[in-house]
């Protein structure tokens, strides 16, 4: 959140006041701005100061002047931008394009953290202020007071029952019927994916993944000696079921499919229900386990929960892996897995790999998830991230070179931007880094060179003036490459 | 999992969804059913369909309508009795359910926990009262007060610097010179062993281990597809260096050696310094990485710290894995690994497997380990466990049949008891369990049948009168087998 500091000129303070209201949606597009004379009176400033404030907001694209009517909140300018382009399904996946990813990812992480961020569009979680710090802390304090020996007693081997119950209860809304016994608590979704993959595949096996996909998944596959077969995705509907079916025919050894159907990373799109049903049925028919990665599903565009792939699972063929970090508490390393037919094996692998999670974070999370504060938090986070997402899209629209393509998803935290031909993401990432601007180049999201013109923007942080300027700078850097 | 099929009327599908949740207890008696309007929104159906679903469940006796409040889960009319369970159709024989040695271990764990312990000689940690609950809790509370956003901010990727510094400082006393950068924090020693083994070996590889050895290690090896080669141990000096050298000659493919030289599990013995130096030199000469597992080293018989294998390591060939749980805080899942030449790869594998540990437990542990309270705690724990160890040995000596053998170690938490010929550990374990007495049969500590006459006793709990009686009962049960 921006805070007005005392030495700001008066007009900046007034501009800031209304900027917040416009961005928060309190003053929606089309609404009339108070007249200059009203501003003069309301804020006890001179006419020229009031006018200066309005002009400032006009410069920022937030207001527009209409002759003889005054200033109005401007509507979003995304109308002109092309939606992201569809992939070429005829391009068969080629194992020869495999180049490995560890070095790239760790180089990327090290370089990203090498200097402080002026504007962070790289992180996959939101700003701390958007999470329920107080409620979680209160729950942790209560647990420590209630159980003075909590830190010196071993945690239950199966994971905390209250947390597994709260999770099962919440999963009902996503169309699933799970019991606490169907759920294994893990150290984040990443551990869930590790044990899910280890349960169904051996080193050397081929795993079908979305393309582009979360680079962390590519790294997990590589670290386990598994090979990724990248299946094209539509930026609007996700994994292409046709392309997957084709891959099953041409690569009979595929041992699992990993898909993230809801606001996936990096595309941000949602797979339609009909495709979800087809995907589950296809994997079932082919007897290939389907691993569902749900990281942002709870950050939907409406209050109607999305239906998980697991909701269509009649035979236990879907292994559901869920992150609780990015939607609830980035400081708690908690996720869960529901392993269907593989549940016993997954539970064993989790036990052999890192034993049960500690009790304190589980008790903290259980209390929060079982309360209505959880619902209120999600509503607020969804609303806030939506505003940020749309504002970032607007500024990109206004600042990036012609030919930039972008579809703005209805939920989640990410924007996947296609740069015009001739503009490369990696040099842009490097140049941005020099100015303390963090973005993630598309090259990280594939073992192929398919996404050299893409950049992923995370919309987790409030869009400050510095952030807007950073986006404009990025646009200028991109334009300079054309 | 119950599944709604496509031709079901909508209301039946909704009814089915909640029927399962009510029957499984996920929605307990008295819980409010989502309102008809919520159902309408959640399931995207008409108001009348939602109402019909509720009425259907009301007809079945699962819900009751309360005037002006909506529907509530009815308390079941067969007070106390659970409905008969349905057969689990997913449990057909299936390679998906392969769990291996884990069957034995989890069967053992489940059976051990199946009834409350009257006397617990099974746990590998001490009674809660022997750990610094108050100091740890105070440190955790301070961390939560000092950093109100701790639970909503991501932890540093490399692990908490203060904790790594405290560990490096303490490692000096064990003869090692480590910097914080040489240390990766893990989810307990078990995760440290996992990433150490994954760093140096591939599935199918042979790993030399002590025999007998901690069953958790055998389980880790199996879960990683590694094969254990059991090297004989002296119950007084641990791993036989001669036997290991012979194994190197006869099994040229050995990819790593795992050894626990200090108060190891289950033998409880300490490898003499001369043997430690020979072991490190031998592995170095053979170019085979040596993985050191230190769980009880801090519980020495004197205040002079034992020298770690790592202290003899001049070339980075020793990977040191340490547990902080059993000596400091069984409720914190903390351990660490110092990977020598493999440090970068180990750090990457830890990142890919479960990311960085949470901040709160690390801050808590860091404060404690950096303080003199840590030294005082260890002195007290050593003294207390020594008393318990010696008292248990005395009672065994007085109560067990002639021919029982036992060497009492100077430190650690374990006693390894050899029963006389004709007495089998497993039936003794089973008979003891029926009386609520927990011990661990020797059969768990090897993939061979070499230790059928051995029992491991943990000395972590105060020796109450009930515990003494339990030992005498065990002696009588053993005698009855002769």
């Amino acid at each position: 959140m921006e805070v007005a500091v005392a030495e700001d000129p008066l007009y900046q303070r007034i501009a800031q006041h209304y900027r917040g209201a416009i961005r928060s949606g309190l003053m929606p597009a089309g609404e009339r701005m108070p007249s200059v004379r009203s501003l003069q009176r309301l804020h006890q400033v001179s006419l020229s100061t009031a006018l200066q404030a309005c002009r400032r907001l006009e410069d920022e694209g937030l207001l527009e002047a209409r002759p003889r009517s005054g200033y109005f909140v401007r509507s979003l300018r995304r109308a002109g931008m092309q939606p992201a382009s569809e992939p070429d399904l005829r391009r068969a996946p080629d194992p020869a394009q495999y180049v490995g990813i560890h070095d790239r990812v760790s180089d990327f992480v090290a370089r990203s953290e090498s200097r402080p961020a002026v504007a962070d569009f790289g992180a996959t979680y939101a700003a701390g202020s958007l999470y329920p710090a107080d409620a979680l802390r209160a729950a942790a304090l209560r647990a420590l007071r209630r159980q003075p020996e909590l830190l010196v007693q071993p945690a239950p081997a199966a994971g905390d029952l209250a947390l597994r119950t709260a999770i099962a209860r919440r999963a009902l809304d996503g169309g699933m019927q799970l019991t606490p016994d169907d759920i294994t608590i893990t150290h984040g979704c990443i551990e869930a994916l590790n044990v899910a993959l280890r349960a169904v595949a051996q080193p050397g096996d081929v795993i079908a993944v979305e393309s582009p996909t979360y680079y962390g998944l590519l790294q997990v596959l590589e670290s386990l000696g598994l090979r990724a077969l990248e299946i094209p995705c539509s930026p609007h509907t996700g994994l292409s079921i046709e392309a997957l079916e084709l891959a099953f025919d041409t690569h009979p050894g595929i041992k699992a499919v990993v898909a993230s159907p809801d606001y996936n990373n990096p595309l941000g799109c949602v797979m339609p229900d009909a495709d979800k049903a087809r995907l589950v049925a296809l994997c079932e028919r082919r007897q290939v386990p389907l691993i569902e990665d749900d990281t942002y599903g709870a950050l939907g565009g409406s209050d109607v929960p999305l239906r998980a792939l697991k909701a269509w699972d009649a035979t236990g063929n879907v292994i559901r892996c869920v992150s609780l970090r990015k939607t609830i508490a980035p400081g708690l390393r908690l996720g869960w897995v529901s392993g269907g037919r593989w549940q016993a094996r997954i539970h064993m692998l989790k036990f052999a790999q890192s034993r049960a999670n500690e009790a304190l974070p589980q008790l903290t999370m259980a209390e929060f998830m079982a309360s209505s504060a959880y619902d209120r938090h999600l509503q607020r986070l969804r609303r806030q991230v939506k505003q940020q997402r749309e504002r970032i899209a607007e500024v990109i629209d206004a600042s990036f070179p012609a030919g930039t393509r972008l579809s703005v998803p209805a939920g989640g935290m990410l924007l996947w931007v296609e740069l015009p031909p001739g503009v490369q993401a990696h040099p842009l990432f490097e140049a941005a880094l020099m100015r303390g601007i963090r973005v993630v180049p598309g090259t990280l999201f594939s073992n192929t060179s398919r996404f050299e013109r893409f950049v992923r923007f995370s919309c987790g942080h409030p869009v400050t003036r510095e952030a807007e300027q950073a986006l404009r700078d990025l646009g200028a850097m991109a334009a300079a490459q054309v």
Side-chain angles (χ1 to χ4, degrees), chain A:
Chain A
M1 182 167 299
E2 285 180 273
V3 173
V5 288
E7 62 272 29
D8 267 3
L10 279 173
Y11 85 88
Q12 284 192 8
R13 289 169 58 180
I14 297 170
Q16 176 133 322
H17 189 71
Y18 291 96
R19 189 184 292 122
I22 294 167
R23 285 195 193 144
S24 73
L26 202 60
M27 291 178 63
E31 178 157 322
R32 197 179 196 282
M33 179 77 179
S35 71
V36 176
R37 288 204 185 278
S38 307
L39 291 175
Q40 185 188 2
R41 187 164 40 76
L42 283 169
H43 297 274
Q44 313 237 324
V45 293
S46 70
L47 203 63
S48 79
T49 299
L51 193 58
Q52 211 178 348
C54 291
R55 287 200 177 133
R56 170 79 213 187
L57 293 172
E58 187 182 17
D59 288 342
E60 291 175 18
L62 294 172
L63 293 182
E64 58 187 353
R66 295 187 196 161
R68 274 181 312 239
S69 305
Y71 286 94
F72 288 79
V73 178
R74 197 163 179 181
S75 59
L76 301 182
R77 280 178 300 178
R78 275 193 317 267
M81 177 124 49
Q82 289 286 319
S85 54
E86 294 287 339
D88 181 0
L89 296 185
R90 291 164 304 178
R91 255 170 68 173
D94 179 3
Q97 289 192 42
Y98 177 83
V99 291
I101 199 158
H102 280 323
D103 282 348
R104 269 190 296 151
V105 172
S106 50
D107 180 62
F108 161 73
V109 171
R111 294 181 61 75
S112 292
E113 291 178 355
S114 62
R115 53 181 70 218
V118 172
D120 190 353
F121 305 107
T124 50
Y125 39 81
S129 58
L130 302 189
Y131 293 102
D134 291 346
L136 291 168
R137 196 167 67 118
L141 292 171
R142 262 193 296 277
L144 282 167
R145 281 199 204 99
R146 229 177 259 149
Q147 300 185 46
E149 296 213 331
L150 193 60
L151 303 183
V152 299
Q153 279 171 344
D160 181 63
L161 180 60
L163 177 57
R164 289 181 292 128
T165 303
I167 287 169
R169 183 68 191 77
R170 296 284 176 186
L172 265 181
D173 295 345
M176 292 158 277
Q177 290 214 2
L178 303 176
T179 70
D181 286 347
D182 297 326
I183 290 164
T184 297
I185 305 295
T186 57
H187 291 113
C189 191
I190 203 80
E191 188 176 55
L193 288 169
N194 268 271
V195 291
L197 285 162
R198 290 180 60 196
V200 301
Q202 298 295 321
D205 284 346
V206 173
I207 309 295
V209 302
E210 294 155 318
S211 185
T213 192
Y214 171 44
Y215 53 83
L217 174 62
L218 295 175
Q219 192 180 22
V220 168
L221 292 175
E222 190 177 280
S223 74
L224 293 173
L226 300 169
R227 287 177 296 151
L229 181 68
E230 301 188 18
I231 310 295
C233 287
S234 154
H236 305 107
T237 58
L239 190 71
S240 160
I241 314 293
E242 289 69 27
L244 179 63
E245 190 140 28
L246 188 66
F248 280 144
D249 289 336
T250 52
H251 293 77
I254 292 173
K255 282 297 167 57
V257 176
V258 183
S260 181
D262 296 335
Y263 308 118
N264 76 356
N265 181 352
L267 291 177
C269 64
V270 171
M271 183 180 280
D273 275 3
D275 277 10
K276 287 181 178 173
R278 284 172 64 209
L279 175 59
V280 171
L282 172 62
C283 290
E284 174 57 35
R285 200 165 62 242
R286 298 282 187 152
Q287 292 279 295
V288 175
L290 174 56
I291 299 173
E292 172 175 35
D293 170 0
D294 183 358
T295 296
Y296 294 116
L299 297 186
S302 82
D303 286 350
V304 181
L306 295 168
R307 273 175 78 87
L309 290 177
K310 186 79 183 160
W312 277 274
D313 179 25
T315 62
N317 195 50
V318 176
I319 302 174
R320 178 166 165 81
C321 300
V322 181
S323 169
L324 299 175
R325 283 187 75 221
K326 286 158 189 174
T327 46
I328 309 179
L332 296 180
R333 176 73 57 204
L334 285 173
W336 57 275
V337 53
S338 184
R341 300 201 285 128
W342 291 271
Q343 179 62 15
R345 185 161 161 73
I346 283 174
H347 197 78
M348 176 277 286
L349 288 169
K350 156 66 177 159
F351 182 82
Q353 180 165 302
S354 67
R355 298 286 185 269
N357 282 41
E358 289 171 8
L360 178 56
Q362 296 186 73
L363 293 171
T364 302
M365 183 64 88
E367 181 179 321
F368 185 72
M369 282 188 76
S371 74
S372 61
Y374 171 79
D375 302 279
R376 289 194 303 275
H377 156 65
L378 276 189
Q379 275 171 21
R380 175 169 165 264
L381 181 61
R382 271 190 217 121
R383 199 171 52 230
Q384 190 80 25
V385 172
K386 177 173 193 279
Q387 281 165 19
Q388 295 167 185
R389 192 171 57 230
E390 296 188 345
R391 181 62 192 144
I392 289 172
E394 268 178 20
V395 182
I396 289 174
D397 182 25
S399 326
F400 273 57
T404 300
R405 300 170 71 126
L406 163 62
S407 302
V408 185
M413 218 173 269
L414 306 172
L415 289 175
W416 181 241
V417 175
E418 183 177 354
L419 302 169
V423 183
Q424 297 280 309
H426 202 82
L428 188 65
F429 158 71
E430 295 279 358
L433 201 56
M434 298 299 288
R435 304 205 197 178
I437 306 170
R438 289 186 193 161
V439 294
V440 185
T443 43
L444 276 185
F445 298 93
S446 170
N447 284 323
T448 73
S449 55
R450 211 174 286 159
F451 303 104
E452 281 174 352
R453 285 200 291 115
F454 289 81
V455 181
R456 190 196 72 184
F457 288 79
S458 167
C459 308
H461 287 260
V463 189
T464 60
R465 199 188 305 167
E466 290 73 25
E468 292 194 0
Q469 189 53 51
L471 291 170
R472 282 190 280 267
D473 290 349
L474 273 175
M477 290 181 231
Q481 276 193 45
V482 179

